Structure formats: structure tokens, C-alpha cells
Amino acid sequence: MMNRYLLVLFLLGGVGFFFSETASAKPRSSILPVSLRCEYLENPKGLDVSRPRLGWLLDATDAGAFGQRQTAYRVLVASTARLLAKEKGDVWDSGWIVSDEMQHVPYKGRELQSDRTCHWKVQVKDERGTVSAWSKPAFWTTGLFDSGEWKGKWIGSDELYNPAASDNNITDPWLRKTVELSTKPGKAMLFVASVGYHELYVNGERIGDEVLAPAVTDHTKRASYVAYDIAANLRQGTNVIVIWLGTSWSIFPGYMLHEDRPLTPIVTAQVAIYSEESPQSDAKPLATVVTDASWKTHPSPNRLLGKWDFRNMGGEIWDARREIPDWNVETCDETAWRAATEYPTKLTLSAQLVSGNRLVDEIRPVGIVAQPDGSYRVDMGVNFAGWTEVHVNGKEGDTIRFQYSEREQDAMTFNLHSAYVIGAGGKGTFRNRFNYSSGRWITIRGLDKAPAINDINGWMVRTDYRDAARFECSDILQNWIYDRVRWTFENLSLGGFIVDCPQRERMGYGGDAHATSETGMFNYQLGAFYTKWMQDWRDVQGTEPMVGNMLDTNYARKAMTSGRILNNGVLPHTAPTYWGGGGPAWGGIVVSLPWFMYQHYGDKRVLEENFELIDRWLGFLGSHTKDDLLQRFGGQWDFLGDWLWPNATAEGMNNDKPETLCLNNSYYVFNLRTAAKIAEVLGRKAEADQWGRQADVSAKAVHARFFNETDDSYANGSMANLAAALLAEIPPSSLREQVVDRLEKEILDVRGGHIHAGITGGALLFKFLRDEGRDDLIFSMLSKTTYPSWGYMKDNGATTIWEMWEKDLPGHSLLHSSYLYPGAWYIDGLAGIKRDPQHPGFQRFIIRPPVPGATSVSWAEAVFESPAGEIRSKWKREGGQLQLALTVPPNTVAVLHVLPEEAVAIQQYPTITELGEAHGFLRYELPAGTYRLTGL
């Protein structure tokens, strides 16, 4: 009896213990911070930003819950990982900040020290005030904040490029330093800035997987440095550090300006080596290594082919007879190595604040055909820009040549070619190192027998940004266009800016950026990428555009459009590359792109950093107006309007016709209105008022000069001019709907549903139609398969988007930035995931599927990694009923727009709020969560 009584007491006590433990357990937060970033980057190295911005996303801890929000955050930054683990923020403890902000949170801790590591993490409070778990730890390392801290000298070989030669005459040099260390180091961050590409080796090992480093900058003013953590590669005793330089941009004619910078690749580098992994602020380094004349140099077996100039980007040649097997290790005999040459170069040194280039997609041949002349034609299956690798056999001294082509009928396009000289072993492997090719076909000459498929590889090379979107729909053609637009974009993004084409020019055209920038933002995570490109535009301002032969010393920097330094608000048409023609819409990207970035990322700093650039640019344009209308300025290639519309080559594009003047003036007004919005956000009331007034006055002047009352059009009635006028708000409000109707007529009736615009005109057209919600007109143009159209490209075997609507006009590229503007519409139009203009950064956004009948698509779905988290949208119409599957990420709100006749049932979701009707749409507010909605 007693035992039974004790058993009951034990059981009751256990139950009480269970309930007491449950009652005292901490409630779980509904959210957890993840995906930590610093200046848009994951664990970046070498930042020289004194007050970097931190950011994170939020995961829902219960995927079935709704309304998860962040109400406060706390950031810890520590000098060591150990301190961070103990929750000691000796560098910064923000304390609890009441805020829902999770992007662009400025660091406000103690002054940062150069060459140190900052470890950080964040926790948040949810909508109930419950504290989350800490995020996983992240870090950033600092670069050198003061230019006086740079002790390395600019060094290179004594081989100098001869601009008068028909081909490049200098090899890609090795630069080598032997270092003795008394102990194995704990910390060693090597900073390397080069003019021309570089690779780094320590004790025979390649450091990092970045290729074609660094990202391209304006080498008349700047060189960016890359930070390499080499501590793990160093050892006690003798160490060998080797920097291999590639000629590349060091001989680019647009960068030939200062006599103190030699025409040869050069490098400056330094590393402070510490015994401790996390040295104290006053710690002395174990050793310091800097570049100077004590380094040794030797020619490598690699040499650039071509002259790194327009239509002559060439390739590279590897001479295996000149190989030195131990060139990058201790055993190398340095007898034949010479002292490096120091050069008194004056360039601003700054951190590379964008991801480097990497090999992304492996590409394998789909066929090899023997040619009658003994060569072999390799079909890689797709047009791409990147590296190739080919295993070859032959006799010593044999030269195997590779020619690259975009066109099946041509052995080589744009003089892109490489070569390999066989060494004593009778076999070897050609592989790109400091250049890249572009094309689909490779013609191989000099082989005794056919190569095998497995002997050949290719890789696309691009800046290593992350994807931000996936899209698919019921329409095969739309899926093809979306896929090829993305592929083309990626192939144009090597080097930290978007080039027009990777084979003929490799220039960063501002006009083309209108066709690519929003496509980029809606499909990739490009905050750091575009921030870097805007730095390039600031660097090039004050130098006029350049076209023509910049190797002609009687012309370069002396004649109009030869790159004269004017020190005013003028902009060249490309950055950071200067060279190339354009018009007001090319330089005008410096207004549009920061505004697009602000709308997309909620990034206010990008507006602040570029405000002076914008002000000076608009001042330059204003100095070329008469009676409030922009006048033609500059040289022959400085006032282009639309470019490459259908049949443009035959009609003539570079002209002084009214349509060009009209479009450029409309764009000028668009620039003014956009700048006024930027000034308003920044609280710059005087500039906002000034630019707003000038926009209104100039809009009236444009309307008075170019409006055709007989048919409600502008200038020649083209789509480009109609769209530009509407986007710039040129028509008086009383005429706006008539002009929109006229644009609709131009598309559907005059052009039979086809597009009839080029790069700039088409970009402005799609921008206006996207903003207007005219999915019907966009789909009409994208659904065509006859000339001119994207479908026409598909039916003519395209694997990339062409430069022109015509395929075989000579001299034009088949991998180009011209017509990439549909890429944004697939996400914000067909999938319906739209920015809210009043709430930058996607913490509040719009879901608006195309209205019934706007397209023939029956379903579409997208996953969009917005700056505020992953948004999912899937819709379909079945039996006349709309069905929606939506995911709204934590700490965001979606506003669903549907027509009244497609009202959805919301009874099962008490968190949804009906907002009423506006602009013809029913609106529903959806807090965070996953929803499945159907029509009533």
C-alpha cells in the first residue's frame, strides 16, 4: 500500500515537473535572421568602407504561420570569433533598436582599423516582442583606409608594349619574392592591385578561384585591389610568393594618358604577416612584404594576341617550349630572373567592392567536323563568352591555332584567335588565362588527327553574383526568350560592368544599360555590381567621349571626341572604358540607374554618392539648350537617339532628323524629372524645385515643337518617340490618353503587333508599358515569330540575343545587350511581382497577374529573391477562374491587385485585409505567409 502511495506521488510530481518546465520555457520567435550581408556581399574581404552597411533576411520558424514581422534588432560586432560566441561586441553592440529595417543598416561602432577582421551576428524581436535566436556568425575584413598605409611600389617587367606594332609584343610576366618566416603565421591578408589581370600563387598553390582579376576600372585614375587570405598557405621557413600578370587592359588605348604609367602590366601589393589569428590593435607584424625592386621577374610562356582594342581583342598564345616547371616554388633556379622594374605610377587605390569573375557554366561540344582544308570545326552548341580548354598533340614546335566564330559560315569573327606551341613532350593543353573568347564554333588548325569530344571544354566566365529569380510559364516561346535573355546578360557581365558585346568592343555603354539594368535587378543580386559601376561613371566624368584611333598620337586627346579632359560635367558614352559613340541617353544612365537601384534595393546611399555626378551632368546638358530645348552637341557620334531599330542600317541612324532631336529632348526631360525625385528623397529642395521647373518648361517646349495634332503622335510617330514622350510626361494631361491610344495603334495596327524600336527606344518603350501595366502590348511584341521579333531570332537558330533585328548584316554581333529589356517583364509583368513605387526595397510590394485576355498564357510562376526575402507567385486560369499560390516573406506585406470580376475568396485567411477598389482593381493586403486563393 505504501509503495503504491509513493508511486502515485512520484507520478504526480513528474507531471508537475513537466508542466512547470513547459510553463517556464521561452516562447519561440516567429522569425530567424539569415543570409547576412555587408555592403551587399557575403563575408567580403578588404572593405575600405569606414561605415559599412549590414543586412539580413528573415526565415519563418513556422512555415504555416502568418504575419511574421521584425520589430527590433540587435547587432553585435566583435574583434574575434571567440568574443562573438560569448556575445561580447567589443567593436559594436547596437543594443536593441526598435525598427523593422533589415537592409542598409549602418555600422555605428568604434572607428575601424585597417587590415582587421570584424565578426558579427544579429538577433531580432518578432511581432510579439519575442527575441529570436542569434543568426549564424558572419564577418568582413577591412582593407587599407588611408592611402599612406600603402607601402608597396608599382612594379613590372622592363618589356614595354609598342603601340605601332601590328600585334602585342610583350609577354605576361611572372614576379616572384622569397620570404623567410620564423614561425607559422596566424594572419596574412595580401592586398593586390594590378593594371592588367593577375593571378596569385603561394608556395606553388593558386590562391582563390577568381579569374581575370581584378574587376575593370578606369586605369587613368584608379586601380582596385583584391584581398587574398594567404595565412594557411604560408609556413615556417622559406616561402615563395608569385604574382603572374596578364597584359590585357594595361595596353587598352583608352587608358593611355599618363607617362608615369608604363605600357606594360604592373602590380602593387603588400601583406602584414602576424603570428596571431586576431591581432590586437597595437600588434606588430611578424613580417611585412611589399612589392619593390627586390622582386624578381621572368617572362612566362603566355602572351596576349591582338592589341586589346576595337575589333582586335585577339586571344593568347602559350609556348610550351618556354615552360619552367618549378617557376612558383622554392626550388626554382632564379639565375635567369631579373630584378623587377619600379614605376612611379599615380593611381587611386581602392577595394574591389564587387565579386570577382569566376568560371560558371561548363560547356561541352556537341559535334566536331573535319574540314576539306585539314582543319576541324568544333560546335560548342551555344554562343558564349568565356574560356576554352583543348588537349592537343603534335611535334615540338608545332603551332596549333584556334579561331572563334559566332557564325556557322565564318571560320573566325572579330579576329578572336588563340594558339598553342607544342613543347618537348609532344602534347599539352591550351587553356585561357588572361583573355577570353566569344563564339559558338572553334576552328582548330595544325592537328595531325581529329580531336575527341572529351578533349575540349568551355566555360562561361562572368562576375560571381547570385541568381535572384526563376520563371516558367505555359508558353514555350516566352520560356525561350526568358532563358536566352538571361544567358545573354550573364555573358555580358564579365569584369564588374555590362559590356555591349564580349567579342568586338567590350565597352560599358550607358545607353545599352537602359536595356539591361532592370532586367538585371529582377533576375540577379546586383547591388554591389551596380554600385561599382556607378563608381566607374564618377571616375570618367569630365572626359569627353572618344571614338576613332586612340593610338594615333596626332589625334588622341587633341581633336573633338578623342578623349580630351574638359573637367566639366560631360560624360563619355561608356564606363569605365570611355571609348564608343552614344547620345544623351548614354550619359543619362547616371540619373536613371541610381534611381532604379533606390526603387529596387531601398538604397539611399547610392543617391547620395552620385548626386554631384547627376548635378554636373544636368548642368552640362543645360549648357547645350536653346529656348529650353536640347541642341545637338559634340561630334558626329555624340547625339545618337534610338539605335538599331528594324532596318536602321539601311535608313541611317546617326542623323539630325526631327525624330532624333525629339527623342533626346524627351529623354532630357525624363532625366530632369528623375533627378528631381532623387533630390526630393535626399531633402535637396532647391535642386528638386529647379529640376522640376525645368522639366515642366522643357516638356512644354518639346510638345510645342514635335507634337502632331493630326494623329496625336510626336515627331515621326515612332514607338520610340511616343514612349519617350509618355515616360517623360511630355503630353498635357488632357492629351495623355490619346497619345497612349496612338502608341497602341502604332504597335497593333501600324506594325502588326511587332516591335519597331531599337536599344534606347525599345528600353523606354518597355519601361513605359511595364509601368503602365500594358501586358497586352508587351505580349503582342514578344509572341511574334516573324521579323522583327525575338521569335524570329529563335526560328533562325539563335542561342543568344542579337545586336540587330537582322541576322546576317556584316560586322554585327550575335551576342549583345541590345534587346534584353523583356527580362524584367517576365518577373514584374507576367509573374506579377511588382515594386511598390511608394515603398522602395520590397518590404511592401504588389502582386498583379496579367488581366484576362492580356496574354494567351494560361499559367505562370516565379520565385523572386527580392531584397526583402523570397517572394513566390504562381497563377493560372482554369475554367475562367483565377487561382493563386503566393508566398509573402517575413517582415513584408503584399498588396494583391485583381479585377473586380476576379475577386478571390479570403474567408480562410483572417489576416488578409480588403483595401477596396482603386484604378479599376480590387486590392487585398496580405501580411507574411503562404496563401492559396481562388476566385469567387
Side-chain angles (χ1 to χ4, degrees), residues 49-65:
V49 180
S50 60
R51 298 288 176 185
R53 297 165 301 169
L54 309 176
W56 55 90
L57 299 178
L58 298 169
D59 269 357
T61 56
D62 179 356

PDB file of all heavy atoms in Angstrom, residues 49-65:
ATOM      1  N   VAL A  49      35.366  50.652 -46.713  1.00  0.00           N
ATOM      2  CA  VAL A  49      34.217  51.480 -46.345  1.00  0.00           C
ATOM      3  C   VAL A  49      34.255  51.660 -44.825  1.00  0.00           C
ATOM      4  O   VAL A  49      34.168  50.681 -44.078  1.00  0.00           O
ATOM      5  CB  VAL A  49      32.891  50.822 -46.774  1.00  0.00           C
ATOM      6  CG1 VAL A  49      31.708  51.697 -46.394  1.00  0.00           C
ATOM      7  CG2 VAL A  49      32.906  50.538 -48.268  1.00  0.00           C
ATOM      8  N   SER A  50      34.389  52.902 -44.368  1.00  0.00           N
ATOM      9  CA  SER A  50      34.571  53.136 -42.937  1.00  0.00           C
ATOM     10  C   SER A  50      33.308  52.871 -42.133  1.00  0.00           C
ATOM     11  O   SER A  50      33.389  52.536 -40.948  1.00  0.00           O
ATOM     12  CB  SER A  50      35.063  54.570 -42.697  1.00  0.00           C
ATOM     13  OG  SER A  50      34.118  55.505 -43.186  1.00  0.00           O
ATOM     14  N   ARG A  51      32.145  53.048 -42.740  1.00  0.00           N
ATOM     15  CA  ARG A  51      30.874  52.783 -42.081  1.00  0.00           C
ATOM     16  C   ARG A  51      30.053  51.852 -42.962  1.00  0.00           C
ATOM     17  O   ARG A  51      29.063  52.253 -43.582  1.00  0.00           O
ATOM     18  CB  ARG A  51      30.101  54.082 -41.814  1.00  0.00           C
ATOM     19  CG  ARG A  51      30.809  55.058 -40.892  1.00  0.00           C
ATOM     20  CD  ARG A  51      30.813  54.550 -39.462  1.00  0.00           C
ATOM     21  NE  ARG A  51      31.573  55.434 -38.572  1.00  0.00           N
ATOM     22  CZ  ARG A  51      31.815  55.158 -37.297  1.00  0.00           C
ATOM     23  NH1 ARG A  51      31.356  54.033 -36.781  1.00  0.00           N
ATOM     24  NH2 ARG A  51      32.519  55.975 -36.554  1.00  0.00           N
ATOM     25  N   PRO A  52      30.448  50.590 -43.046  1.00  0.00           N
ATOM     26  CA  PRO A  52      29.734  49.674 -43.952  1.00  0.00           C
ATOM     27  C   PRO A  52      28.307  49.437 -43.486  1.00  0.00           C
ATOM     28  O   PRO A  52      27.975  49.575 -42.310  1.00  0.00           O
ATOM     29  CB  PRO A  52      30.564  48.392 -43.883  1.00  0.00           C
ATOM     30  CG  PRO A  52      31.262  48.465 -42.568  1.00  0.00           C
ATOM     31  CD  PRO A  52      31.528  49.920 -42.319  1.00  0.00           C
ATOM     32  N   ARG A  53      27.470  49.064 -44.437  1.00  0.00           N
ATOM     33  CA  ARG A  53      26.066  48.777 -44.151  1.00  0.00           C
ATOM     34  C   ARG A  53      25.861  47.268 -44.068  1.00  0.00           C
ATOM     35  O   ARG A  53      26.381  46.526 -44.893  1.00  0.00           O
ATOM     36  CB  ARG A  53      25.173  49.392 -45.230  1.00  0.00           C
ATOM     37  CG  ARG A  53      25.250  50.908 -45.278  1.00  0.00           C
ATOM     38  CD  ARG A  53      24.660  51.451 -46.549  1.00  0.00           C
ATOM     39  NE  ARG A  53      25.347  50.933 -47.724  1.00  0.00           N
ATOM     40  CZ  ARG A  53      24.910  51.082 -48.963  1.00  0.00           C
ATOM     41  NH1 ARG A  53      23.779  51.728 -49.199  1.00  0.00           N
ATOM     42  NH2 ARG A  53      25.592  50.588 -49.977  1.00  0.00           N
ATOM     43  N   LEU A  54      25.098  46.871 -43.088  1.00  0.00           N
ATOM     44  CA  LEU A  54      24.833  45.464 -42.841  1.00  0.00           C
ATOM     45  C   LEU A  54      23.388  45.140 -43.207  1.00  0.00           C
ATOM     46  O   LEU A  54      22.519  46.015 -43.169  1.00  0.00           O
ATOM     47  CB  LEU A  54      25.085  45.134 -41.375  1.00  0.00           C
ATOM     48  CG  LEU A  54      26.438  45.578 -40.812  1.00  0.00           C
ATOM     49  CD1 LEU A  54      26.524  45.275 -39.321  1.00  0.00           C
ATOM     50  CD2 LEU A  54      27.579  44.919 -41.569  1.00  0.00           C
ATOM     51  N   GLY A  55      23.152  43.897 -43.546  1.00  0.00           N
ATOM     52  CA  GLY A  55      21.798  43.498 -43.910  1.00  0.00           C
ATOM     53  C   GLY A  55      21.575  42.024 -43.674  1.00  0.00           C
ATOM     54  O   GLY A  55      22.517  41.241 -43.538  1.00  0.00           O
ATOM     55  N   TRP A  56      20.319  41.641 -43.585  1.00  0.00           N
ATOM     56  CA  TRP A  56      19.947  40.246 -43.382  1.00  0.00           C
ATOM     57  C   TRP A  56      18.530  40.022 -43.903  1.00  0.00           C
ATOM     58  O   TRP A  56      17.784  40.967 -44.172  1.00  0.00           O
ATOM     59  CB  TRP A  56      20.012  39.873 -41.892  1.00  0.00           C
ATOM     60  CG  TRP A  56      19.196  40.764 -40.994  1.00  0.00           C
ATOM     61  CD1 TRP A  56      17.892  40.615 -40.628  1.00  0.00           C
ATOM     62  CD2 TRP A  56      19.643  41.969 -40.356  1.00  0.00           C
ATOM     63  NE1 TRP A  56      17.489  41.634 -39.799  1.00  0.00           N
ATOM     64  CE2 TRP A  56      18.552  42.487 -39.613  1.00  0.00           C
ATOM     65  CE3 TRP A  56      20.853  42.666 -40.329  1.00  0.00           C
ATOM     66  CZ2 TRP A  56      18.637  43.662 -38.872  1.00  0.00           C
ATOM     67  CZ3 TRP A  56      20.943  43.835 -39.592  1.00  0.00           C
ATOM     68  CH2 TRP A  56      19.847  44.321 -38.862  1.00  0.00           C
ATOM     69  N   LEU A  57      18.177  38.775 -44.063  1.00  0.00           N
ATOM     70  CA  LEU A  57      16.806  38.386 -44.376  1.00  0.00           C
ATOM     71  C   LEU A  57      16.252  37.627 -43.178  1.00  0.00           C
ATOM     72  O   LEU A  57      16.970  37.349 -42.214  1.00  0.00           O
ATOM     73  CB  LEU A  57      16.762  37.523 -45.638  1.00  0.00           C
ATOM     74  CG  LEU A  57      17.290  38.183 -46.916  1.00  0.00           C
ATOM     75  CD1 LEU A  57      17.243  37.199 -48.083  1.00  0.00           C
ATOM     76  CD2 LEU A  57      16.508  39.440 -47.242  1.00  0.00           C
ATOM     77  N   LEU A  58      14.980  37.276 -43.247  1.00  0.00           N
ATOM     78  CA  LEU A  58      14.326  36.579 -42.148  1.00  0.00           C
ATOM     79  C   LEU A  58      13.669  35.301 -42.638  1.00  0.00           C
ATOM     80  O   LEU A  58      12.968  35.311 -43.658  1.00  0.00           O
ATOM     81  CB  LEU A  58      13.274  37.486 -41.497  1.00  0.00           C
ATOM     82  CG  LEU A  58      13.802  38.775 -40.860  1.00  0.00           C
ATOM     83  CD1 LEU A  58      12.651  39.698 -40.491  1.00  0.00           C
ATOM     84  CD2 LEU A  58      14.667  38.472 -39.653  1.00  0.00           C
ATOM     85  N   ASP A  59      13.918  34.233 -41.938  1.00  0.00           N
ATOM     86  CA  ASP A  59      13.210  32.977 -42.176  1.00  0.00           C
ATOM     87  C   ASP A  59      12.076  32.843 -41.167  1.00  0.00           C
ATOM     88  O   ASP A  59      12.229  33.225 -40.000  1.00  0.00           O
ATOM     89  CB  ASP A  59      14.158  31.785 -42.012  1.00  0.00           C
ATOM     90  CG  ASP A  59      14.836  31.399 -43.313  1.00  0.00           C
ATOM     91  OD1 ASP A  59      14.524  32.020 -44.355  1.00  0.00           O
ATOM     92  OD2 ASP A  59      15.702  30.502 -43.281  1.00  0.00           O
ATOM     93  N   ALA A  60      10.959  32.295 -41.618  1.00  0.00           N
ATOM     94  CA  ALA A  60       9.863  31.985 -40.702  1.00  0.00           C
ATOM     95  C   ALA A  60      10.168  30.669 -39.997  1.00  0.00           C
ATOM     96  O   ALA A  60      10.540  29.685 -40.647  1.00  0.00           O
ATOM     97  CB  ALA A  60       8.551  31.894 -41.467  1.00  0.00           C
ATOM     98  N   THR A  61      10.049  30.636 -38.699  1.00  0.00           N
ATOM     99  CA  THR A  61      10.289  29.382 -37.964  1.00  0.00           C
ATOM    100  C   THR A  61       9.102  28.426 -38.051  1.00  0.00           C
ATOM    101  O   THR A  61       9.245  27.244 -37.804  1.00  0.00           O
ATOM    102  CB  THR A  61      10.599  29.692 -36.485  1.00  0.00           C
ATOM    103  OG1 THR A  61       9.516  30.458 -35.929  1.00  0.00           O
ATOM    104  CG2 THR A  61      11.883  30.486 -36.358  1.00  0.00           C
ATOM    105  N   ASP A  62       7.945  28.961 -38.423  1.00  0.00           N
ATOM    106  CA  ASP A  62       6.755  28.130 -38.657  1.00  0.00           C
ATOM    107  C   ASP A  62       6.201  28.505 -40.022  1.00  0.00           C
ATOM    108  O   ASP A  62       5.598  29.570 -40.198  1.00  0.00           O
ATOM    109  CB  ASP A  62       5.715  28.375 -37.564  1.00  0.00           C
ATOM    110  CG  ASP A  62       4.435  27.543 -37.778  1.00  0.00           C
ATOM    111  OD1 ASP A  62       4.336  26.839 -38.808  1.00  0.00           O
ATOM    112  OD2 ASP A  62       3.538  27.609 -36.920  1.00  0.00           O
ATOM    113  N   ALA A  63       6.433  27.637 -40.996  1.00  0.00           N
ATOM    114  CA  ALA A  63       6.042  27.951 -42.374  1.00  0.00           C
ATOM    115  C   ALA A  63       4.539  28.086 -42.534  1.00  0.00           C
ATOM    116  O   ALA A  63       4.066  28.666 -43.519  1.00  0.00           O
ATOM    117  CB  ALA A  63       6.568  26.874 -43.322  1.00  0.00           C
ATOM    118  N   GLY A  64       3.765  27.583 -41.585  1.00  0.00           N
ATOM    119  CA  GLY A  64       2.313  27.660 -41.700  1.00  0.00           C
ATOM    120  C   GLY A  64       1.708  28.870 -41.017  1.00  0.00           C
ATOM    121  O   GLY A  64       0.489  29.055 -41.058  1.00  0.00           O
ATOM    122  N   ALA A  65       2.544  29.706 -40.396  1.00  0.00           N
ATOM    123  CA  ALA A  65       2.040  30.877 -39.670  1.00  0.00           C
ATOM    124  C   ALA A  65       1.941  32.086 -40.601  1.00  0.00           C
ATOM    125  O   ALA A  65       2.391  32.055 -41.754  1.00  0.00           O
ATOM    126  CB  ALA A  65       2.937  31.181 -38.483  1.00  0.00           C
TER     127      ALA A  65
END
